[in-house]
Structure formats: structure tokens, C-alpha cells
Amino acid sequence: LNRFYLPISKMIKDEYEKKKKTKIIGLTGGQGTGKSTISIILKIILKETYNLETVIFSIDDFYKTLNERETMSKKISDLFLTRGVPGTHDTKMLFQCIKNLKNNNFKKMNIPKFDKSIDNRLSKSNWLQVKKKPNIVIFEGWCVGASAQKNKDLISPINKLEKYKDKKKIWRQKVNLKLRKDYKKIFDLIDKLIFLKIPSFKYVFKWRLLQEKKLRITGKGNKIMNDKQIENFVMYYERITKHMLKTLPKIADTVIRIDEKHRLKSIKFN
């Protein structure tokens, strides 16, 4: 609490105090790093200590519907059927959502909710209702703040998935283009970026396994993956996660290192 949560909360409060306008806090890091838990703890502290109202949502909630991804997979590449990478989110809706939250003429709004256990968006009656303008927005997600790679870096496949399923590089080029254009526009709206830095990519697989085990225990839905499917699934994320591990420590406003045992290890304010 004293080493991590209180200093981060103070940093967010100080950022808000500058202009007393809604601030967008990006919280990013590989799957299973604890973004949702950290968001909830920060929300409680911001309310209890500084009386700041916080809205939390995830980039995951803006995944395109299963139907839309099926269409993409037929038109561009089979790999777009699997949610996760840039290109599988509704960027128009997401951009509008953040613009509205930052706008002085705030209009009450609904933020979508995505259910991973059914691999689809929930009906509008289940969406998050935001009735008044928040002071703080925590916008969390595995690829929040990611930047595009140079085209030459896309040539060599990074894993078996790219080697055998993306031989012509259509998928990775499209993902990269989306990052360069649509996603950059969204990430430029972030006021402060917090990066949860994992020791290496292999922990994404380990911690993703934990998440699925929780889903299995709760027995929700029918899209729960076995270990082999998870190993295949994380390959979709590998390229961008590794690129983020290289680039974000230099550009994020706050970098929190997470150790092999999943504990917050150190914090650095850039």
C-alpha cells in the first residue's frame, strides 16, 4: 500500500489537480498481470482519500462481436477470428467513448461489456452506465499504449502461428497498420500511462493459465480453453507484448516491475 498504491494514487490526484478536468489513466501490461485488481484498489483509494470519482473500463470490453470478427476473418485473414490483437476492437466506439468522457459537455453514456466465456459482447442492458462525468478514468488493457513496429521488423515470423498461419504476413501487417493509425489516435488521449512490466513473455502463458482455471472453477460459459489452446492463444499476443517490453519502460509515466512470483517488485516514476 505505502510503496505502490498510495504513491500512484497521489500521482493521479496531482495530475487531476493541474486543471481539474477528467484525466485518462492508461494501465497496461501483459495478460494476467493484475490490471483489474490494481484498478479496483486505485478506485477505492482515489475515492476514500481524495474524493475523486473513478470509472474503470477495459479495452477488452470493446472487442468486436463474434459476427464482426467472422466477417473480418473471411475478408482479411482467418487469424482475425481470435479476439485480442489490434484490429479486433471497435476503435470508433472506443475513441468516441474516451472523447465523451473527456468532453466538458459530458453526456451520460453506456460503456459496453464483453464476456470472454461466451466470446461475445453482452446485450446493452448489461453495459456500464456512466451517469455523471468522472474525475478519473482508468482505461486498462494488455495492449494499451502499444506502438507500431517498423515494417522491416515484421518480416521474420516470431512463432509457429506466424510462420504457418500468416505466411504472406497479411495479418501482422494489418495489425501493425491498425496500431499506427486507429490505436495511436486513441492512445494519444491518455494523460498518464502506467506499465506493469513482467519478467519475460513466458509468464503471460503461466498467468493466463491461472485466469482460465478461475473461469473453469466458476463454470461460466462454453468458451473456456484447455492448456494447449491457451498456448496457441498467447502466440497471438507475443509480437506486441515483446515489443511493449522493449519500448514502454522508456515512455510510460510509471513503470511497475512484477516479479516471477506475481508480486509488485519496484516502481519508477519517469
Side-chain angles (χ1 to χ4, degrees):
L1 192 67
N2 288 319
R3 274 185 67 202
F4 299 96
Y5 292 109
L6 294 177
I8 296 164
S9 302
K10 186 179 182 308
M11 180 267 291
I12 294 170
K13 187 266 300 184
D14 291 346
E15 181 64 21
Y16 175 74
E17 292 288 330
K18 285 180 194 167
K19 285 186 179 165
K20 296 242 188 313
K21 284 186 172 172
T22 301
K23 293 293 175 185
I24 310 292
I25 308 299
L27 179 63
T28 189
Q31 286 94 336
T33 42
K35 296 179 293 295
S36 308
T37 310
I38 290 169
S39 301
I40 293 161
I41 294 169
L42 290 175
K43 179 176 177 164
I44 295 166
I45 297 169
L46 290 167
K47 177 68 181 154
E48 297 298 324
T49 315
Y50 304 115
N51 201 26
L52 294 172
E53 295 296 339
T54 304
V55 164
I56 303 168
F57 66 85
S58 171
I59 197 168
D60 294 3
D61 286 316
F62 287 83
Y63 281 134
K64 289 179 172 170
T65 62
L66 189 53
N67 208 358
E68 288 168 327
R69 282 178 283 127
E70 277 169 352
T71 305
M72 262 188 103
S73 73
K74 286 179 188 123
K75 276 188 183 166
I76 308 164
S77 158
D78 287 354
L79 296 177
F80 280 114
L81 186 58
T82 300
R83 61 179 158 79
V85 294
T88 60
H89 303 93
D90 188 329
T91 45
K92 268 202 185 96
M93 192 198 278
L94 177 53
F95 182 73
Q96 273 317 119
C97 169
I98 297 177
K99 283 292 273 191
N100 187 39
L101 287 161
K102 288 191 92 153
N103 199 329
N104 292 331
N105 308 318
F106 173 81
K107 295 181 183 74
K108 67 176 185 179
M109 60 187 289
N110 292 335
I111 295 175
K113 279 267 175 225
F114 192 91
D115 185 343
K116 290 175 183 173
S117 66
I118 57 167
D119 197 18
N120 220 337
R121 201 177 285 163
L122 290 171
S123 62
K124 286 189 176 174
S125 57
N126 294 299
W127 289 15
L128 172 69
Q129 292 184 332
V130 185
K131 289 175 180 164
K132 66 185 220 316
K133 189 171 166 62
N135 308 116
I136 307 295
V137 173
I138 297 177
F139 168 39
E140 59 101 338
W142 80 274
C143 65
V144 168
S147 59
Q149 289 182 280
K150 295 188 177 86
N151 287 336
K152 66 176 175 66
D153 294 333
L154 302 176
I155 297 166
S156 302
I158 202 164
N159 55 31
K160 286 188 289 194
L161 180 87
E162 290 188 357
K163 189 176 178 180
Y164 299 114
K165 300 273 178 79
D166 189 36
K167 285 178 181 164
K168 293 181 180 169
K169 301 185 275 292
I170 292 166
W171 176 70
R172 65 193 105 136
Q173 282 171 352
K174 183 73 171 174
V175 169
N176 205 48
L177 183 67
K178 287 277 182 191
L179 265 180
R180 185 170 288 132
K181 293 186 168 174
D182 304 357
Y183 286 75
K184 185 183 185 308
K185 213 168 87 171
I186 292 162
F187 300 154
D188 283 347
L189 298 172
I190 293 170
D191 296 291
K192 288 282 183 192
L193 183 65
I194 301 166
F195 178 46
L196 303 171
K197 185 177 185 292
I198 56 175
S200 71
F201 181 73
K202 71 174 182 188
Y203 288 93
V204 170
F205 173 61
K206 255 180 125 160
W207 297 342
R208 184 65 225 208
L209 274 178
L210 276 178
Q211 284 184 328
E212 288 297 320
K213 278 179 183 146
K214 283 179 196 169
L215 278 176
R216 281 177 213 160
I217 291 162
T218 56
K220 282 167 73 181
N222 52 3
K223 294 275 181 181
I224 296 164
M225 293 182 274
N226 62 37
D227 295 9
K228 190 79 198 137
Q229 287 169 314
I230 295 166
E231 192 183 342
N232 183 52
F233 184 62
V234 297
M235 283 187 208
Y236 285 81
Y237 296 82
E238 187 169 350
R239 174 176 289 280
I240 293 172
T241 304
K242 285 182 171 173
H243 182 58
M244 288 170 77
L245 283 169
K246 235 188 271 174
T247 55
L248 282 187
K250 300 181 196 95
I251 58 169
D253 299 283
T254 306
V255 179
I256 297 169
R257 273 182 48 235
I258 293 176
D259 70 10
E260 290 84 353
K261 293 193 171 143
H262 219 171
R263 297 171 302 198
L264 306 183
K265 189 76 181 157
S266 66
I267 185 165
K268 180 169 163 254
F269 292 99
N270 288 337

Short mmCIF file of all heavy atoms in Angstrom, two decimals, residues 126-170:
data_model
loop_
_atom_site.label_atom_id
_atom_site.label_comp_id
_atom_site.label_asym_id
_atom_site.label_seq_id
_atom_site.Cartn_x
_atom_site.Cartn_y
_atom_site.Cartn_z
N ASN A 126 -26.82 -4.88 -20.06
CA ASN A 126 -25.73 -5.22 -19.12
C ASN A 126 -24.55 -4.27 -19.18
O ASN A 126 -23.54 -4.49 -18.51
CB ASN A 126 -25.23 -6.64 -19.39
CG ASN A 126 -26.29 -7.68 -19.09
OD1 ASN A 126 -26.75 -7.80 -17.98
ND2 ASN A 126 -26.71 -8.42 -20.12
N TRP A 127 -24.62 -3.23 -20.01
CA TRP A 127 -23.49 -2.32 -20.16
C TRP A 127 -23.34 -1.43 -18.93
O TRP A 127 -24.28 -1.25 -18.15
CB TRP A 127 -23.66 -1.46 -21.42
CG TRP A 127 -23.50 -2.25 -22.70
CD1 TRP A 127 -23.52 -3.61 -22.84
CD2 TRP A 127 -23.31 -1.72 -24.01
NE1 TRP A 127 -23.34 -3.96 -24.14
CE2 TRP A 127 -23.22 -2.82 -24.90
CE3 TRP A 127 -23.22 -0.43 -24.53
CZ2 TRP A 127 -23.03 -2.67 -26.27
CZ3 TRP A 127 -23.04 -0.27 -25.90
CH2 TRP A 127 -22.94 -1.38 -26.76
N LEU A 128 -22.13 -0.88 -18.78
CA LEU A 128 -21.84 0.01 -17.64
C LEU A 128 -22.43 1.39 -17.91
O LEU A 128 -22.15 2.01 -18.93
CB LEU A 128 -20.30 0.12 -17.47
CG LEU A 128 -19.78 1.13 -16.46
CD1 LEU A 128 -20.10 0.69 -15.03
CD2 LEU A 128 -18.27 1.31 -16.62
N GLN A 129 -23.25 1.85 -16.99
CA GLN A 129 -23.88 3.17 -17.16
C GLN A 129 -23.05 4.24 -16.46
O GLN A 129 -22.73 4.11 -15.28
CB GLN A 129 -25.29 3.17 -16.56
CG GLN A 129 -26.25 2.29 -17.32
CD GLN A 129 -27.67 2.40 -16.76
OE1 GLN A 129 -27.86 2.69 -15.58
NE2 GLN A 129 -28.65 2.18 -17.61
N VAL A 130 -22.69 5.27 -17.21
CA VAL A 130 -21.96 6.40 -16.61
C VAL A 130 -22.89 7.60 -16.67
O VAL A 130 -23.14 8.16 -17.74
CB VAL A 130 -20.63 6.69 -17.36
CG1 VAL A 130 -19.84 7.78 -16.64
CG2 VAL A 130 -19.79 5.42 -17.48
N LYS A 131 -23.42 7.96 -15.50
CA LYS A 131 -24.46 9.00 -15.48
C LYS A 131 -23.89 10.40 -15.29
O LYS A 131 -24.46 11.37 -15.72
CB LYS A 131 -25.48 8.69 -14.39
CG LYS A 131 -26.35 7.49 -14.77
CD LYS A 131 -27.28 7.08 -13.66
CE LYS A 131 -28.10 5.87 -14.12
NZ LYS A 131 -28.74 5.18 -13.02
N LYS A 132 -22.73 10.46 -14.57
CA LYS A 132 -22.13 11.79 -14.45
C LYS A 132 -20.64 11.74 -14.77
O LYS A 132 -20.00 10.68 -14.66
CB LYS A 132 -22.40 12.42 -13.09
CG LYS A 132 -21.78 11.75 -11.88
CD LYS A 132 -22.29 12.47 -10.63
CE LYS A 132 -21.38 12.70 -9.55
NZ LYS A 132 -20.47 12.27 -8.81
N LYS A 133 -20.13 12.88 -15.17
CA LYS A 133 -18.73 12.97 -15.62
C LYS A 133 -17.77 12.57 -14.50
O LYS A 133 -17.82 13.14 -13.41
CB LYS A 133 -18.46 14.41 -16.06
CG LYS A 133 -17.13 14.62 -16.75
CD LYS A 133 -17.07 16.03 -17.33
CE LYS A 133 -15.67 16.42 -17.74
NZ LYS A 133 -15.10 15.58 -18.78
N PRO A 134 -16.91 11.59 -14.74
CA PRO A 134 -15.98 11.17 -13.69
C PRO A 134 -14.77 12.12 -13.61
O PRO A 134 -14.49 12.84 -14.56
CB PRO A 134 -15.53 9.79 -14.16
CG PRO A 134 -15.66 9.83 -15.65
CD PRO A 134 -16.77 10.79 -15.97
N ASN A 135 -14.09 12.09 -12.46
CA ASN A 135 -12.83 12.85 -12.34
C ASN A 135 -11.69 12.08 -13.01
O ASN A 135 -10.84 12.65 -13.68
CB ASN A 135 -12.46 13.09 -10.87
CG ASN A 135 -13.59 13.70 -10.07
OD1 ASN A 135 -14.10 13.08 -9.14
ND2 ASN A 135 -14.00 14.90 -10.43
N ILE A 136 -11.71 10.77 -12.79
CA ILE A 136 -10.64 9.90 -13.28
C ILE A 136 -11.24 8.74 -14.07
O ILE A 136 -12.25 8.18 -13.67
CB ILE A 136 -9.81 9.31 -12.10
CG1 ILE A 136 -9.31 10.40 -11.15
CG2 ILE A 136 -8.66 8.42 -12.60
CD1 ILE A 136 -8.32 11.38 -11.74
N VAL A 137 -10.57 8.38 -15.16
CA VAL A 137 -10.94 7.18 -15.91
C VAL A 137 -9.72 6.27 -15.94
O VAL A 137 -8.64 6.69 -16.37
CB VAL A 137 -11.37 7.52 -17.36
CG1 VAL A 137 -11.59 6.25 -18.17
CG2 VAL A 137 -12.61 8.40 -17.37
N ILE A 138 -9.87 5.05 -15.45
CA ILE A 138 -8.79 4.07 -15.59
C ILE A 138 -9.14 3.19 -16.79
O ILE A 138 -10.12 2.46 -16.78
CB ILE A 138 -8.58 3.23 -14.31
CG1 ILE A 138 -8.16 4.15 -13.14
CG2 ILE A 138 -7.50 2.15 -14.55
CD1 ILE A 138 -7.99 3.44 -11.80
N PHE A 139 -8.31 3.33 -17.81
CA PHE A 139 -8.50 2.62 -19.08
C PHE A 139 -7.43 1.54 -19.14
O PHE A 139 -6.26 1.81 -19.33
CB PHE A 139 -8.36 3.64 -20.21
CG PHE A 139 -8.25 3.07 -21.60
CD1 PHE A 139 -9.00 1.97 -22.00
CD2 PHE A 139 -7.41 3.67 -22.54
CE1 PHE A 139 -8.90 1.46 -23.29
CE2 PHE A 139 -7.30 3.17 -23.84
CZ PHE A 139 -8.04 2.07 -24.21
N GLU A 140 -7.85 0.29 -18.86
CA GLU A 140 -6.84 -0.78 -18.75
C GLU A 140 -6.93 -1.76 -19.91
O GLU A 140 -7.97 -1.91 -20.53
CB GLU A 140 -6.93 -1.46 -17.38
CG GLU A 140 -8.27 -2.10 -17.06
CD GLU A 140 -8.29 -3.61 -17.25
OE1 GLU A 140 -7.45 -4.14 -18.02
OE2 GLU A 140 -9.17 -4.26 -16.69
N GLY A 141 -5.80 -2.42 -20.18
CA GLY A 141 -5.81 -3.42 -21.24
C GLY A 141 -4.41 -3.85 -21.61
O GLY A 141 -3.44 -3.11 -21.41
N TRP A 142 -4.31 -5.06 -22.13
CA TRP A 142 -2.99 -5.64 -22.39
C TRP A 142 -2.19 -4.86 -23.42
O TRP A 142 -0.98 -4.81 -23.36
CB TRP A 142 -3.13 -7.12 -22.80
CG TRP A 142 -3.50 -7.28 -24.24
CD1 TRP A 142 -4.76 -7.28 -24.77
CD2 TRP A 142 -2.60 -7.45 -25.34
NE1 TRP A 142 -4.70 -7.43 -26.13
CE2 TRP A 142 -3.39 -7.54 -26.51
CE3 TRP A 142 -1.21 -7.53 -25.47
CZ2 TRP A 142 -2.85 -7.70 -27.78
CZ3 TRP A 142 -0.66 -7.70 -26.73
CH2 TRP A 142 -1.47 -7.78 -27.87
N CYS A 143 -2.86 -4.24 -24.41
CA CYS A 143 -2.10 -3.54 -25.47
C CYS A 143 -2.25 -2.03 -25.40
O CYS A 143 -1.86 -1.32 -26.33
CB CYS A 143 -2.52 -4.05 -26.84
SG CYS A 143 -4.24 -3.69 -27.26
N VAL A 144 -2.81 -1.51 -24.30
CA VAL A 144 -2.99 -0.06 -24.17
C VAL A 144 -1.61 0.61 -24.20
O VAL A 144 -0.69 0.22 -23.48
CB VAL A 144 -3.75 0.28 -22.86
CG1 VAL A 144 -3.70 1.77 -22.55
CG2 VAL A 144 -5.20 -0.19 -22.95
N GLY A 145 -1.45 1.60 -25.07
CA GLY A 145 -0.18 2.31 -25.16
C GLY A 145 0.84 1.68 -26.09
O GLY A 145 1.94 2.21 -26.27
N ALA A 146 0.49 0.55 -26.71
CA ALA A 146 1.44 -0.12 -27.62
C ALA A 146 1.64 0.73 -28.89
O ALA A 146 0.72 1.42 -29.33
CB ALA A 146 0.91 -1.50 -28.01
N SER A 147 2.84 0.66 -29.44
CA SER A 147 3.13 1.40 -30.67
C SER A 147 3.40 0.43 -31.81
O SER A 147 3.68 -0.75 -31.58
CB SER A 147 4.35 2.30 -30.45
OG SER A 147 5.47 1.50 -30.09
N ALA A 148 3.32 0.94 -33.02
CA ALA A 148 3.57 0.10 -34.21
C ALA A 148 5.06 -0.20 -34.33
O ALA A 148 5.90 0.54 -33.83
CB ALA A 148 3.08 0.83 -35.46
N GLN A 149 5.37 -1.31 -34.98
CA GLN A 149 6.76 -1.66 -35.26
C GLN A 149 7.16 -1.12 -36.64
O GLN A 149 6.31 -0.76 -37.44
CB GLN A 149 6.93 -3.19 -35.27
CG GLN A 149 6.82 -3.82 -33.89
CD GLN A 149 7.05 -5.33 -33.96
OE1 GLN A 149 6.17 -6.08 -34.31
NE2 GLN A 149 8.27 -5.76 -33.66
N LYS A 150 8.46 -1.11 -36.89
CA LYS A 150 8.93 -0.78 -38.25
C LYS A 150 8.56 -1.94 -39.16
O LYS A 150 8.57 -3.09 -38.73
CB LYS A 150 10.45 -0.59 -38.24
CG LYS A 150 10.93 0.60 -37.42
CD LYS A 150 12.43 0.81 -37.65
CE LYS A 150 12.92 2.03 -36.90
NZ LYS A 150 13.29 1.72 -35.50
N ASN A 151 8.26 -1.64 -40.42
CA ASN A 151 7.84 -2.68 -41.35
C ASN A 151 8.86 -3.80 -41.49
O ASN A 151 8.52 -4.97 -41.63
CB ASN A 151 7.52 -2.08 -42.73
CG ASN A 151 6.21 -1.29 -42.68
OD1 ASN A 151 5.36 -1.54 -41.82
ND2 ASN A 151 6.06 -0.33 -43.57
N LYS A 152 10.15 -3.46 -41.45
CA LYS A 152 11.20 -4.49 -41.60
C LYS A 152 11.19 -5.48 -40.43
O LYS A 152 11.62 -6.63 -40.57
CB LYS A 152 12.58 -3.85 -41.77
CG LYS A 152 13.10 -3.08 -40.56
CD LYS A 152 14.53 -2.57 -40.83
CE LYS A 152 15.08 -1.70 -39.72
NZ LYS A 152 15.30 -2.38 -38.45
N ASP A 153 10.67 -5.03 -39.27
CA ASP A 153 10.62 -5.93 -38.10
C ASP A 153 9.51 -6.98 -38.22
O ASP A 153 9.43 -7.90 -37.41
CB ASP A 153 10.42 -5.12 -36.81
CG ASP A 153 11.63 -4.24 -36.51
OD1 ASP A 153 12.74 -4.60 -36.95
OD2 ASP A 153 11.47 -3.19 -35.86
N LEU A 154 8.66 -6.81 -39.22
CA LEU A 154 7.54 -7.75 -39.40
C LEU A 154 7.91 -8.93 -40.29
O LEU A 154 7.17 -9.90 -40.38
CB LEU A 154 6.33 -7.04 -40.02
CG LEU A 154 5.75 -5.83 -39.29
CD1 LEU A 154 4.64 -5.21 -40.12
CD2 LEU A 154 5.21 -6.21 -37.91
N ILE A 155 9.08 -8.85 -40.94
CA ILE A 155 9.42 -9.85 -41.96
C ILE A 155 9.56 -11.26 -41.38
O ILE A 155 8.93 -12.19 -41.85
CB ILE A 155 10.70 -9.43 -42.74
CG1 ILE A 155 10.42 -8.12 -43.49
CG2 ILE A 155 11.12 -10.52 -43.72
CD1 ILE A 155 11.65 -7.40 -44.03
N SER A 156 10.36 -11.40 -40.33
CA SER A 156 10.57 -12.75 -39.76
C SER A 156 9.45 -13.12 -38.81
O SER A 156 9.09 -12.32 -37.94
CB SER A 156 11.90 -12.80 -39.00
OG SER A 156 12.94 -12.45 -39.86
N PRO A 157 8.90 -14.33 -38.95
CA PRO A 157 7.86 -14.76 -38.01
C PRO A 157 8.43 -14.91 -36.60
O PRO A 157 9.58 -15.31 -36.44
CB PRO A 157 7.39 -16.10 -38.57
CG PRO A 157 8.51 -16.57 -39.45
CD PRO A 157 9.21 -15.37 -39.94
N ILE A 158 7.63 -14.60 -35.60
CA ILE A 158 8.11 -14.64 -34.22
C ILE A 158 7.79 -15.98 -33.54
O ILE A 158 8.37 -16.34 -32.53
CB ILE A 158 7.53 -13.44 -33.44
CG1 ILE A 158 8.37 -13.11 -32.21
CG2 ILE A 158 6.07 -13.63 -33.06
CD1 ILE A 158 8.12 -11.74 -31.62
N ASN A 159 6.85 -16.73 -34.13
CA ASN A 159 6.45 -18.03 -33.55
C ASN A 159 5.80 -18.90 -34.62
O ASN A 159 5.68 -18.50 -35.78
CB ASN A 159 5.52 -17.82 -32.34
CG ASN A 159 4.30 -16.98 -32.70
OD1 ASN A 159 3.81 -17.00 -33.83
ND2 ASN A 159 3.79 -16.21 -31.75
N LYS A 160 5.36 -20.08 -34.20
CA LYS A 160 4.77 -21.05 -35.15
C LYS A 160 3.49 -20.51 -35.80
O LYS A 160 3.22 -20.78 -36.96
CB LYS A 160 4.45 -22.37 -34.42
CG LYS A 160 5.69 -23.21 -34.11
CD LYS A 160 5.33 -24.58 -33.57
CE LYS A 160 4.78 -24.49 -32.16
NZ LYS A 160 4.71 -25.77 -31.45
N LEU A 161 2.72 -19.77 -35.02
CA LEU A 161 1.47 -19.23 -35.54
C LEU A 161 1.74 -18.34 -36.75
O LEU A 161 1.11 -18.49 -37.81
CB LEU A 161 0.75 -18.42 -34.44
CG LEU A 161 -0.57 -17.79 -34.86
CD1 LEU A 161 -1.73 -18.77 -34.68
CD2 LEU A 161 -0.86 -16.53 -34.07
N GLU A 162 2.68 -17.42 -36.61
CA GLU A 162 3.01 -16.52 -37.72
C GLU A 162 3.65 -17.28 -38.88
O GLU A 162 3.36 -17.02 -40.04
CB GLU A 162 3.96 -15.41 -37.24
CG GLU A 162 3.28 -14.41 -36.32
CD GLU A 162 4.15 -13.20 -35.99
OE1 GLU A 162 5.32 -13.13 -36.44
OE2 GLU A 162 3.65 -12.31 -35.29
N LYS A 163 4.48 -18.24 -38.53
CA LYS A 163 5.20 -18.99 -39.57
C LYS A 163 4.27 -19.79 -40.47
O LYS A 163 4.42 -19.80 -41.70
CB LYS A 163 6.22 -19.92 -38.90
CG LYS A 163 7.17 -20.58 -39.88
CD LYS A 163 8.23 -21.41 -39.16
CE LYS A 163 9.14 -22.10 -40.14
NZ LYS A 163 10.16 -22.91 -39.45
N TYR A 164 3.28 -20.46 -39.86
CA TYR A 164 2.42 -21.36 -40.65
C TYR A 164 1.05 -20.78 -41.01
O TYR A 164 0.46 -21.16 -42.00
CB TYR A 164 2.23 -22.69 -39.90
CG TYR A 164 3.55 -23.41 -39.68
CD1 TYR A 164 4.05 -23.58 -38.39
CD2 TYR A 164 4.30 -23.88 -40.76
CE1 TYR A 164 5.28 -24.22 -38.17
CE2 TYR A 164 5.53 -24.52 -40.55
CZ TYR A 164 6.01 -24.68 -39.27
OH TYR A 164 7.21 -25.30 -39.07
N LYS A 165 0.55 -19.84 -40.19
CA LYS A 165 -0.81 -19.33 -40.44
C LYS A 165 -0.81 -17.93 -41.06
O LYS A 165 -1.86 -17.40 -41.39
CB LYS A 165 -1.60 -19.29 -39.12
CG LYS A 165 -1.76 -20.65 -38.42
CD LYS A 165 -2.98 -21.39 -38.95
CE LYS A 165 -3.15 -22.75 -38.32
NZ LYS A 165 -3.74 -22.71 -36.99
N ASP A 166 0.38 -17.31 -41.11
CA ASP A 166 0.45 -15.95 -41.66
C ASP A 166 1.65 -15.85 -42.60
O ASP A 166 2.46 -14.93 -42.52
CB ASP A 166 0.57 -14.94 -40.49
CG ASP A 166 0.42 -13.49 -40.95
OD1 ASP A 166 -0.38 -13.24 -41.87
OD2 ASP A 166 1.11 -12.62 -40.40
N LYS A 167 1.71 -16.82 -43.51
CA LYS A 167 2.88 -16.94 -44.40
C LYS A 167 3.09 -15.67 -45.23
O LYS A 167 4.22 -15.27 -45.50
CB LYS A 167 2.72 -18.15 -45.33
CG LYS A 167 2.96 -19.47 -44.60
CD LYS A 167 2.75 -20.66 -45.51
CE LYS A 167 2.97 -21.96 -44.74
NZ LYS A 167 2.42 -23.11 -45.43
N LYS A 168 1.99 -15.04 -45.65
CA LYS A 168 2.11 -13.85 -46.51
C LYS A 168 2.18 -12.56 -45.70
O LYS A 168 2.15 -11.47 -46.27
CB LYS A 168 0.94 -13.81 -47.49
CG LYS A 168 0.96 -14.94 -48.50
CD LYS A 168 -0.21 -14.82 -49.45
CE LYS A 168 -0.19 -15.96 -50.48
NZ LYS A 168 -1.45 -15.99 -51.24
N LYS A 169 2.22 -12.69 -44.39
CA LYS A 169 2.35 -11.54 -43.47
C LYS A 169 1.14 -10.59 -43.50
O LYS A 169 1.22 -9.46 -43.05
CB LYS A 169 3.64 -10.74 -43.75
CG LYS A 169 4.91 -11.56 -43.61
CD LYS A 169 6.16 -10.71 -43.76
CE LYS A 169 6.59 -10.52 -45.18
NZ LYS A 169 7.07 -11.76 -45.81
N ILE A 170 0.01 -11.05 -44.05
CA ILE A 170 -1.17 -10.19 -44.18
C ILE A 170 -1.70 -9.77 -42.80
O ILE A 170 -1.99 -8.60 -42.56
CB ILE A 170 -2.29 -10.90 -45.00
CG1 ILE A 170 -1.84 -11.06 -46.45
CG2 ILE A 170 -3.62 -10.14 -44.92
CD1 ILE A 170 -2.67 -12.02 -47.27
#
